[in-house]
Amino acid sequence: MNRTAAIDPAYKPLSVDTLAERLSGVEAIAARLGADRSAWRCREVGDGNLNLVFIVEGRAGSLVVKQALPYVRLVGESWPLPLKRAFFEYHALVRQADRDPGRVPEVVHFDEKQACIAMEYLSRHIILRRSFIAGDRVARLSEALGLFMARTLFRGSDLSMDTATRKADLALFAGNIELCDITENLVFSDPYFEVEMNRHTTPQLDGVVAELRADHALKIEAQHLKSAFCSNAETLLHGDLHSGSVMVSRDDVRVIDPEFAVYGPIGFDVGMLIGNLLMAYFGQRGHEAQAGERDTYREWILDQACEVWSVFESEFSRLWRTERTGILYQRTLFEDQGHALAAEAALSQRLAAIWRDTLGFAGVEMHRRILGLAHIAELEEITDEDLRAGCEERALRLGRQLVVNRGALRTMNEICALARAMETEAVT
Ligand code: SR1
Ligand code: MG
Protein backbone atom coordinates (compact mmCIF):
# COMPACT_ATOMS: atom_id res chain seq x y z
CA MET A 1 0.00 0.00 0.00
CA ASN A 2 1.42 3.39 -0.97
CA ARG A 3 -0.29 6.41 0.54
CA THR A 4 0.57 9.88 -0.61
CA ALA A 5 0.47 12.17 2.42
CA ALA A 6 0.11 15.92 1.91
CA ILE A 7 3.51 17.59 2.19
CA ASP A 8 3.70 20.85 4.11
CA PRO A 9 4.52 23.57 1.51
CA ALA A 10 7.22 24.85 3.87
CA TYR A 11 9.07 21.50 3.72
CA LYS A 12 12.26 21.49 1.68
CA PRO A 13 14.96 18.83 1.65
CA LEU A 14 18.25 20.07 3.10
CA SER A 15 21.48 19.89 1.13
CA VAL A 16 25.14 20.30 2.06
CA ASP A 17 24.98 23.76 0.49
CA THR A 18 21.86 25.01 2.26
CA LEU A 19 22.05 23.33 5.64
CA ALA A 20 24.18 25.94 7.42
CA GLU A 21 22.07 28.83 6.21
CA ARG A 22 18.79 27.10 7.03
CA LEU A 23 19.74 25.89 10.50
CA SER A 24 21.95 28.70 11.76
CA GLY A 25 18.94 30.49 13.24
CA VAL A 26 18.20 27.60 15.57
CA GLU A 27 19.70 28.55 18.91
CA ALA A 28 20.22 25.00 20.18
CA ILE A 29 22.11 24.08 17.00
CA ALA A 30 24.27 27.20 16.95
CA ALA A 31 25.06 26.66 20.63
CA ARG A 32 26.29 23.15 19.88
CA LEU A 33 28.28 23.95 16.70
CA GLY A 34 29.50 27.44 17.45
CA ALA A 35 28.00 30.75 16.35
CA ASP A 36 30.32 31.23 13.35
CA ARG A 37 28.28 29.47 10.71
CA SER A 38 30.90 30.08 8.01
CA ALA A 39 33.05 27.53 9.85
CA TRP A 40 30.38 24.82 9.74
CA ARG A 41 31.43 21.87 7.58
CA CYS A 42 28.70 19.59 6.33
CA ARG A 43 28.64 16.21 4.54
CA GLU A 44 25.82 13.86 3.61
CA VAL A 45 26.43 10.35 4.89
CA GLY A 46 23.02 8.68 4.64
CA ASP A 47 23.38 5.12 3.39
CA GLY A 48 20.17 3.78 4.90
CA ASN A 49 16.98 2.90 3.07
CA LEU A 50 14.91 5.98 3.84
CA ASN A 51 16.43 9.32 4.85
CA LEU A 52 18.96 12.09 4.36
CA VAL A 53 21.65 12.14 7.05
CA PHE A 54 24.20 14.95 7.43
CA ILE A 55 27.18 15.33 9.72
CA VAL A 56 27.83 18.98 10.59
CA GLU A 57 31.00 20.06 12.36
CA GLY A 58 31.65 23.55 13.69
CA ARG A 59 34.28 25.23 15.85
CA ALA A 60 32.51 24.28 19.07
CA GLY A 61 31.18 20.81 18.29
CA SER A 62 29.32 18.55 15.94
CA LEU A 63 25.84 17.20 15.19
CA VAL A 64 23.98 14.73 13.05
CA VAL A 65 21.02 16.14 11.16
CA LYS A 66 18.57 13.54 9.92
CA GLN A 67 15.77 14.56 7.58
CA ALA A 68 12.98 12.40 6.23
CA LEU A 69 12.40 12.41 2.48
CA PRO A 70 8.83 12.16 1.17
CA TYR A 71 9.66 8.81 -0.43
CA VAL A 72 11.65 5.62 0.17
CA ARG A 73 15.24 6.52 -0.69
CA LEU A 74 16.11 2.92 -1.52
CA VAL A 75 13.41 2.74 -4.21
CA GLY A 76 12.85 6.33 -5.30
CA GLU A 77 9.96 8.75 -5.71
CA SER A 78 7.67 6.03 -7.02
CA TRP A 79 7.26 4.90 -3.39
CA PRO A 80 5.97 7.88 -1.38
CA LEU A 81 6.41 7.77 2.38
CA PRO A 82 5.05 10.32 4.89
CA LEU A 83 7.40 12.81 6.48
CA LYS A 84 5.59 12.22 9.74
CA ARG A 85 7.93 9.33 10.46
CA ALA A 86 10.40 11.91 11.84
CA PHE A 87 7.74 12.86 14.40
CA PHE A 88 7.44 9.23 15.53
CA GLU A 89 11.20 8.85 15.63
CA TYR A 90 11.54 11.96 17.77
CA HIS A 91 8.85 10.82 20.21
CA ALA A 92 10.35 7.34 20.42
CA LEU A 93 13.84 8.77 21.11
CA VAL A 94 12.48 10.90 23.93
CA ARG A 95 10.76 7.92 25.55
CA GLN A 96 13.77 5.61 25.11
CA ALA A 97 16.10 8.23 26.63
CA ASP A 98 13.82 8.36 29.64
CA ARG A 99 13.47 4.58 29.96
CA ASP A 100 17.12 3.65 29.43
CA PRO A 101 19.18 6.82 29.92
CA GLY A 102 22.32 7.19 27.82
CA ARG A 103 21.54 4.45 25.30
CA VAL A 104 20.14 6.63 22.47
CA PRO A 105 21.67 9.77 20.94
CA GLU A 106 20.76 13.00 22.66
CA VAL A 107 18.20 15.02 20.68
CA VAL A 108 19.25 18.65 20.29
CA HIS A 109 16.44 19.97 18.10
CA PHE A 110 13.32 18.71 16.34
CA ASP A 111 11.54 20.53 13.50
CA GLU A 112 8.29 18.80 12.66
CA LYS A 113 7.59 20.80 9.46
CA GLN A 114 11.03 20.01 8.06
CA ALA A 115 10.80 16.40 9.33
CA CYS A 116 14.24 16.94 10.73
CA ILE A 117 16.00 15.88 13.93
CA ALA A 118 19.36 17.29 15.04
CA MET A 119 21.11 14.99 17.44
CA GLU A 120 24.40 14.07 19.05
CA TYR A 121 27.04 12.94 16.53
CA LEU A 122 28.57 9.67 17.64
CA SER A 123 31.95 10.37 16.07
CA ARG A 124 33.75 7.35 17.54
CA HIS A 125 31.01 4.89 16.66
CA ILE A 126 30.38 2.70 13.64
CA ILE A 127 27.31 0.70 12.63
CA LEU A 128 27.30 -2.73 14.29
CA ARG A 129 26.99 -4.45 10.87
CA ARG A 130 30.35 -2.95 9.88
CA SER A 131 31.90 -4.24 13.06
CA PHE A 132 30.58 -7.76 12.32
CA ILE A 133 32.01 -7.58 8.80
CA ALA A 134 35.38 -6.41 10.13
CA GLY A 135 35.38 -9.22 12.72
CA ASP A 136 35.64 -6.83 15.70
CA ARG A 137 34.42 -7.68 19.17
CA VAL A 138 32.42 -5.02 21.01
CA ALA A 139 32.73 -4.83 24.79
CA ARG A 140 29.43 -5.26 26.67
CA LEU A 141 27.36 -5.47 23.50
CA SER A 142 24.88 -8.06 24.74
CA GLU A 143 24.61 -6.41 28.12
CA ALA A 144 23.77 -3.01 26.65
CA LEU A 145 21.24 -4.39 24.18
CA GLY A 146 19.62 -6.82 26.63
CA LEU A 147 19.18 -4.02 29.17
CA PHE A 148 17.91 -1.59 26.52
CA MET A 149 15.25 -4.00 25.36
CA ALA A 150 14.11 -5.03 28.84
CA ARG A 151 13.92 -1.44 30.06
CA THR A 152 12.25 0.15 27.05
CA LEU A 153 9.86 -2.75 26.45
CA PHE A 154 8.86 -3.20 30.11
CA ARG A 155 8.60 0.50 30.87
CA GLY A 156 6.56 1.16 27.71
CA SER A 157 3.93 -1.42 28.62
CA ASP A 158 0.84 -1.82 30.78
CA LEU A 159 3.10 -3.54 33.29
CA SER A 160 4.59 -0.18 34.14
CA MET A 161 2.82 2.85 32.69
CA ASP A 162 -0.19 4.58 34.11
CA THR A 163 -3.15 3.70 31.99
CA ALA A 164 -4.11 7.20 30.77
CA THR A 165 -0.57 7.97 29.59
CA ARG A 166 -0.26 4.60 27.91
CA LYS A 167 -3.58 4.90 26.09
CA ALA A 168 -2.70 8.38 24.83
CA ASP A 169 0.66 7.05 23.68
CA LEU A 170 -0.90 4.06 21.96
CA ALA A 171 -3.16 6.44 20.04
CA LEU A 172 -0.22 8.69 19.11
CA PHE A 173 1.94 5.89 17.70
CA ALA A 174 -1.05 4.25 15.98
CA GLY A 175 -0.58 7.01 13.40
CA ASN A 176 2.67 5.46 12.18
CA ILE A 177 0.60 3.53 9.64
CA GLU A 178 2.83 3.56 6.58
CA LEU A 179 5.97 2.38 8.36
CA CYS A 180 3.94 -0.36 10.01
CA ASP A 181 2.62 -1.25 6.60
CA ILE A 182 6.20 -1.68 5.35
CA THR A 183 6.93 -4.12 8.17
CA GLU A 184 3.63 -5.96 7.73
CA ASN A 185 4.34 -6.59 4.06
CA LEU A 186 8.12 -6.81 3.87
CA VAL A 187 8.63 -8.97 6.95
CA PHE A 188 5.59 -11.21 7.16
CA SER A 189 4.20 -11.69 3.64
CA ASP A 190 6.41 -10.69 0.71
CA PRO A 191 9.21 -13.23 1.36
CA TYR A 192 6.73 -16.07 1.03
CA PHE A 193 5.52 -15.46 -2.51
CA GLU A 194 6.73 -13.81 -5.69
CA VAL A 195 6.64 -10.05 -5.33
CA GLU A 196 8.25 -7.66 -7.81
CA MET A 197 10.68 -6.06 -5.38
CA ASN A 198 11.88 -9.35 -3.87
CA ARG A 199 15.29 -10.64 -4.83
CA HIS A 200 17.57 -13.48 -3.82
CA THR A 201 20.88 -14.98 -4.88
CA THR A 202 19.91 -16.80 -8.03
CA PRO A 203 20.08 -19.47 -9.32
CA GLN A 204 21.86 -20.89 -6.23
CA LEU A 205 18.93 -20.32 -3.85
CA ASP A 206 16.09 -21.02 -6.30
CA GLY A 207 15.50 -24.51 -4.92
CA VAL A 208 15.33 -23.57 -1.26
CA VAL A 209 13.23 -20.50 -2.06
CA ALA A 210 10.69 -22.66 -3.91
CA GLU A 211 10.68 -25.07 -0.96
CA LEU A 212 10.00 -22.30 1.55
CA ARG A 213 7.29 -20.72 -0.60
CA ALA A 214 5.53 -24.09 -0.90
CA ASP A 215 5.77 -24.71 2.84
CA HIS A 216 2.22 -24.40 4.18
CA ALA A 217 3.19 -24.68 7.84
CA LEU A 218 5.72 -21.87 7.42
CA LYS A 219 3.28 -19.56 5.64
CA ILE A 220 0.61 -20.13 8.27
CA GLU A 221 3.03 -19.47 11.14
CA ALA A 222 4.31 -16.30 9.42
CA GLN A 223 0.72 -15.06 9.30
CA HIS A 224 0.17 -15.96 12.97
CA LEU A 225 3.21 -13.81 13.72
CA LYS A 226 1.88 -11.01 11.53
CA SER A 227 -1.39 -11.18 13.42
CA ALA A 228 0.50 -10.84 16.72
CA PHE A 229 2.48 -7.89 15.32
CA CYS A 230 -0.70 -6.13 14.15
CA SER A 231 -2.92 -6.74 17.14
CA ASN A 232 -0.85 -7.38 20.26
CA ALA A 233 -0.10 -3.79 21.29
CA GLU A 234 1.90 -4.88 24.33
CA THR A 235 4.51 -2.13 24.41
CA LEU A 236 6.18 0.69 22.50
CA LEU A 237 8.63 -1.05 20.16
CA HIS A 238 11.75 0.36 18.58
CA GLY A 239 10.27 -1.35 15.54
CA ASP A 240 13.46 -1.82 13.48
CA LEU A 241 16.06 -3.15 15.90
CA HIS A 242 18.53 -4.75 13.50
CA SER A 243 22.32 -4.41 13.47
CA GLY A 244 22.04 -1.33 11.25
CA SER A 245 20.17 0.41 14.09
CA VAL A 246 23.00 -0.11 16.59
CA MET A 247 26.19 1.97 16.72
CA VAL A 248 29.24 0.78 18.58
CA SER A 249 32.63 2.05 19.69
CA ARG A 250 35.31 0.31 21.76
CA ASP A 251 33.46 1.07 24.95
CA ASP A 252 29.95 2.19 24.05
CA VAL A 253 26.77 0.91 22.42
CA ARG A 254 23.96 3.15 21.17
CA VAL A 255 20.61 2.42 19.59
CA ILE A 256 19.47 4.71 16.78
CA ASP A 257 16.69 5.11 14.20
CA PRO A 258 13.38 4.25 15.90
CA GLU A 259 11.24 5.67 13.09
CA PHE A 260 9.30 2.39 12.85
CA ALA A 261 8.19 2.81 16.48
CA VAL A 262 4.72 1.46 17.16
CA TYR A 263 2.95 -0.50 19.88
CA GLY A 264 3.42 -4.22 19.30
CA PRO A 265 4.53 -7.49 20.91
CA ILE A 266 7.60 -7.38 23.17
CA GLY A 267 9.19 -10.29 21.29
CA PHE A 268 9.31 -8.30 18.04
CA ASP A 269 12.34 -6.16 18.96
CA VAL A 270 14.06 -9.04 20.74
CA GLY A 271 13.46 -11.39 17.81
CA MET A 272 14.62 -8.93 15.17
CA LEU A 273 17.86 -8.37 17.04
CA ILE A 274 18.52 -12.08 17.64
CA GLY A 275 17.70 -12.86 13.99
CA ASN A 276 20.31 -10.31 12.94
CA LEU A 277 22.92 -11.79 15.29
CA LEU A 278 22.28 -15.22 13.81
CA MET A 279 22.62 -13.86 10.25
CA ALA A 280 25.89 -12.16 11.23
CA TYR A 281 27.01 -15.59 12.52
CA PHE A 282 26.18 -17.32 9.24
CA GLY A 283 27.77 -14.52 7.21
CA GLN A 284 31.23 -14.94 8.79
CA ARG A 285 32.36 -17.71 6.45
CA GLY A 286 32.01 -15.21 3.60
CA HIS A 287 34.43 -12.79 5.24
CA GLU A 288 37.29 -15.17 5.94
CA ALA A 289 40.59 -14.66 4.13
CA GLN A 290 41.43 -18.27 5.09
CA ALA A 291 39.05 -21.08 5.97
CA GLY A 292 38.48 -21.28 9.72
CA GLU A 293 39.93 -17.82 10.39
CA ARG A 294 36.68 -16.57 11.92
CA ASP A 295 35.80 -19.68 13.96
CA THR A 296 36.31 -18.09 17.36
CA TYR A 297 34.76 -14.80 16.25
CA ARG A 298 31.71 -16.64 14.97
CA GLU A 299 31.37 -18.27 18.41
CA TRP A 300 31.59 -14.85 20.02
CA ILE A 301 28.56 -13.75 17.98
CA LEU A 302 26.59 -16.80 19.17
CA ASP A 303 27.59 -15.96 22.74
CA GLN A 304 26.15 -12.49 22.19
CA ALA A 305 22.86 -13.98 21.06
CA CYS A 306 22.70 -16.18 24.19
CA GLU A 307 23.67 -13.36 26.51
CA VAL A 308 21.33 -10.82 24.97
CA TRP A 309 18.43 -13.11 25.82
CA SER A 310 19.67 -13.89 29.33
CA VAL A 311 20.33 -10.20 30.15
CA PHE A 312 16.91 -9.32 28.75
CA GLU A 313 15.25 -12.05 30.81
CA SER A 314 16.95 -11.15 34.07
CA GLU A 315 16.42 -7.38 33.73
CA PHE A 316 12.79 -7.89 32.71
CA SER A 317 12.37 -10.10 35.80
CA ARG A 318 14.00 -7.49 38.03
CA LEU A 319 11.65 -4.80 36.69
CA TRP A 320 8.68 -7.14 37.15
CA ARG A 321 9.61 -7.52 40.82
CA THR A 322 10.41 -3.87 41.49
CA GLU A 323 8.53 -1.65 39.01
CA ARG A 324 5.19 -3.35 38.36
CA THR A 325 3.16 -0.17 38.72
CA GLY A 326 0.78 -0.51 35.76
CA ILE A 327 -2.66 -2.08 35.46
CA LEU A 328 -1.43 -5.63 34.83
CA TYR A 329 -0.70 -8.25 37.56
CA GLN A 330 -0.99 -5.56 40.22
CA ARG A 331 0.89 -6.03 43.47
CA THR A 332 -2.43 -5.40 45.23
CA LEU A 333 -3.70 -8.59 43.60
CA PHE A 334 -0.58 -10.68 44.20
CA GLU A 335 2.13 -9.69 46.71
CA ASP A 336 -0.26 -7.74 48.95
CA GLN A 337 -2.41 -10.86 49.24
CA GLY A 338 0.60 -12.96 50.18
CA HIS A 339 0.69 -14.43 46.65
CA ALA A 340 4.24 -13.53 45.65
CA LEU A 341 4.81 -17.02 44.27
CA ALA A 342 1.83 -16.61 41.94
CA ALA A 343 3.39 -13.35 40.68
CA GLU A 344 6.57 -15.33 39.95
CA ALA A 345 4.55 -17.98 38.11
CA ALA A 346 2.87 -15.25 36.04
CA LEU A 347 6.31 -13.81 35.21
CA SER A 348 7.54 -17.20 34.00
CA GLN A 349 4.47 -17.60 31.82
CA ARG A 350 4.87 -14.13 30.32
CA LEU A 351 8.56 -14.76 29.61
CA ALA A 352 7.73 -18.08 27.97
CA ALA A 353 5.25 -16.32 25.65
CA ILE A 354 7.82 -13.60 24.82
CA TRP A 355 10.40 -16.32 24.09
CA ARG A 356 8.09 -18.09 21.62
CA ASP A 357 7.32 -14.79 19.88
CA THR A 358 11.03 -13.90 19.85
CA LEU A 359 11.99 -17.06 17.98
CA GLY A 360 9.24 -16.60 15.42
CA PHE A 361 10.10 -12.95 14.76
CA ALA A 362 13.80 -13.85 14.51
CA GLY A 363 12.97 -16.46 11.87
CA VAL A 364 10.86 -14.22 9.63
CA GLU A 365 13.48 -11.46 9.89
CA MET A 366 16.11 -13.94 8.67
CA HIS A 367 13.90 -14.82 5.72
CA ARG A 368 13.03 -11.32 4.64
CA ARG A 369 16.64 -10.09 4.68
CA ILE A 370 17.59 -12.83 2.23
CA LEU A 371 14.45 -13.10 0.10
CA GLY A 372 12.87 -9.65 0.23
CA LEU A 373 13.63 -6.07 -0.73
CA ALA A 374 15.98 -4.96 2.08
CA HIS A 375 19.09 -7.11 2.39
CA ILE A 376 21.93 -6.86 4.92
CA ALA A 377 25.55 -5.99 4.25
CA GLU A 378 26.97 -8.98 6.20
CA LEU A 379 25.59 -11.28 3.50
CA GLU A 380 25.26 -8.88 0.58
CA GLU A 381 28.94 -7.97 0.57
CA ILE A 382 30.07 -11.57 0.11
CA THR A 383 31.13 -11.29 -3.51
CA ASP A 384 31.54 -15.01 -4.25
CA GLU A 385 27.92 -15.88 -5.02
CA ASP A 386 28.23 -19.60 -4.26
CA LEU A 387 29.79 -18.82 -0.90
CA ARG A 388 27.13 -16.21 -0.17
CA ALA A 389 24.32 -18.55 -1.16
CA GLY A 390 25.67 -21.20 1.22
CA CYS A 391 25.65 -18.74 4.14
CA GLU A 392 22.17 -17.56 3.17
CA GLU A 393 20.77 -21.05 2.81
CA ARG A 394 21.90 -22.00 6.31
CA ALA A 395 20.27 -18.84 7.69
CA LEU A 396 17.06 -19.56 5.74
CA ARG A 397 16.88 -23.11 7.07
CA LEU A 398 17.49 -22.10 10.66
CA GLY A 399 14.92 -19.30 10.22
CA ARG A 400 12.36 -21.89 9.14
CA GLN A 401 13.01 -23.99 12.24
CA LEU A 402 12.65 -20.95 14.50
CA VAL A 403 9.30 -20.02 12.96
CA VAL A 404 7.74 -23.45 12.73
CA ASN A 405 9.22 -25.12 15.83
CA ARG A 406 9.18 -22.16 18.15
CA GLY A 407 6.89 -23.97 20.57
CA ALA A 408 9.39 -26.79 21.00
CA LEU A 409 12.70 -24.91 21.21
CA ARG A 410 13.38 -24.06 24.85
CA THR A 411 16.76 -22.33 25.19
CA MET A 412 19.23 -20.18 23.31
CA ASN A 413 21.75 -22.99 23.77
CA GLU A 414 19.51 -25.23 21.64
CA ILE A 415 19.35 -22.56 18.94
CA CYS A 416 23.13 -22.12 19.03
CA ALA A 417 23.59 -25.89 18.77
CA LEU A 418 21.37 -25.93 15.67
CA ALA A 419 23.33 -23.05 14.12
CA ARG A 420 26.64 -24.81 14.86
CA ALA A 421 25.39 -28.09 13.44
CA MET A 422 24.53 -26.32 10.19
CA GLU A 423 27.96 -24.72 10.02
CA THR A 424 29.67 -28.06 10.71
CA GLU A 425 27.63 -29.85 8.04
CA ALA A 426 28.72 -27.19 5.59
CA VAL A 427 32.44 -27.86 6.05
CA THR A 428 32.30 -31.67 6.31
C1 SR1 B 1 11.48 0.18 2.34
S1 SR1 B 1 12.32 0.21 3.83
C2 SR1 B 1 13.06 -1.34 3.97
C3 SR1 B 1 13.58 -1.63 5.31
O1 SR1 B 1 14.52 -0.65 5.72
C4 SR1 B 1 14.30 -0.29 7.07
O2 SR1 B 1 15.46 -0.21 7.80
C5 SR1 B 1 13.35 -1.33 7.61
O3 SR1 B 1 14.06 -2.44 8.11
C6 SR1 B 1 12.56 -1.65 6.42
O4 SR1 B 1 11.88 -2.88 6.54
MG1 MG C 1 16.73 2.68 9.86
Side-chain angles (χ1 to χ4, degrees), residues 48-51 72-75 79 81 129 179 182-187 197 239-242 244-245 257 259-260 272 365 368-369 373-375:
N49 295 333
L50 301 180
N51 306 295
V72 175
R73 183 176 184 166
L74 172 70
V75 175
W79 187 343
L81 200 61
R129 284 197 196 299
L179 274 80
I182 289 180
T183 302
E184 286 153 9
N185 288 314
L186 263 57
V187 176
M197 282 186 295
D240 200 26
L241 193 50
H242 52 76
S245 296
D257 270 7
E259 66 203 310
F260 283 77
M272 186 179 274
E365 169 70 2
R368 71 93 167 217
R369 296 289 183 189
L373 167 72
H375 288 219

Side-chain angles (χ1 to χ4, degrees), residues 377-395:
E378 293 96 315
L379 294 169
E380 209 59 3
E381 291 183 7
I382 303 172
T383 45
D384 178 329
E385 291 188 358
D386 291 334
L387 186 58
R388 186 204 311 150
C391 299
E392 290 175 331
E393 178 163 354
R394 290 187 279 285

Side-chain angles (χ1 to χ4, degrees), residues 175-366:
N176 204 2
I177 301 163
E178 290 77 6
L179 274 80
C180 248
D181 181 66
I182 289 180
T183 302
E184 286 153 9
N185 288 314
L186 263 57
V187 176
F188 298 103
S189 291
D190 291 2
Y192 303 108
F193 70 122
E194 242 181 79
V195 169
E196 204 190 329
M197 282 186 295
N198 281 348
R199 67 193 166 83
H200 63 259
T201 306
T202 187
Q204 292 88 340
L205 290 182
D206 290 356
V208 65
V209 173
E211 215 181 284
L212 294 175
R213 289 189 178 149
D215 187 332
H216 293 191
L218 175 62
K219 282 166 73 151
I220 292 169
E221 289 304 329
Q223 291 307 294
H224 290 335
L225 289 160
K226 183 175 184 174
S227 166
F229 177 77
C230 298
S231 54
N232 187 6
E234 230 175 352
T235 192
L236 179 63
L237 299 174
H238 175 286
D240 200 26
L241 193 50
H242 52 76
S243 348
S245 296
V246 177
M247 294 194 73
V248 297
S249 71
R250 275 191 184 286
D251 54 3
D252 190 33
V253 177
R254 300 291 190 101
V255 177
I256 62 167
D257 270 7
E259 66 203 310
F260 283 77
V262 70
Y263 274 78
I266 290 174
F268 183 77
D269 278 356
V270 190
M272 186 179 274
L273 182 69
I274 288 180
N276 275 267
L277 292 172
L278 292 171
M279 285 187 284
Y281 170 81
F282 285 116
Q284 289 307 312
R285 190 182 297 280
H287 299 288
E288 288 178 335
Q290 281 175 345
E293 190 187 67
R294 296 263 181 127
D295 284 355
T296 52
Y297 183 65
R298 193 175 14 246
E299 275 302 310
W300 176 81
I301 299 181
L302 276 194
D303 288 347
Q304 299 308 298
C306 289
E307 282 166 27
V308 112
W309 172 262
S310 72
V311 171
F312 167 80
E313 192 178 36
S314 72
E315 179 69 356
F316 191 92
S317 302
R318 186 186 72 78
L319 297 172
W320 177 282
R321 290 171 193 133
T322 56
E323 289 189 16
R324 227 166 64 246
T325 52
I327 58 170
L328 293 180
Y329 312 90
Q330 308 103 292
R331 301 184 69 82
T332 46
L333 187 60
F334 287 92
E335 284 86 344
D336 295 357
Q337 306 303 319
H339 297 162
L341 281 179
E344 286 296 304
L347 167 62
S348 300
Q349 288 167 23
R350 288 308 297 239
L351 281 169
I354 294 169
W355 167 253
R356 276 192 302 278
D357 284 357
T358 293
L359 296 191
F361 291 128
V364 290
E365 169 70 2
M366 290 164 80

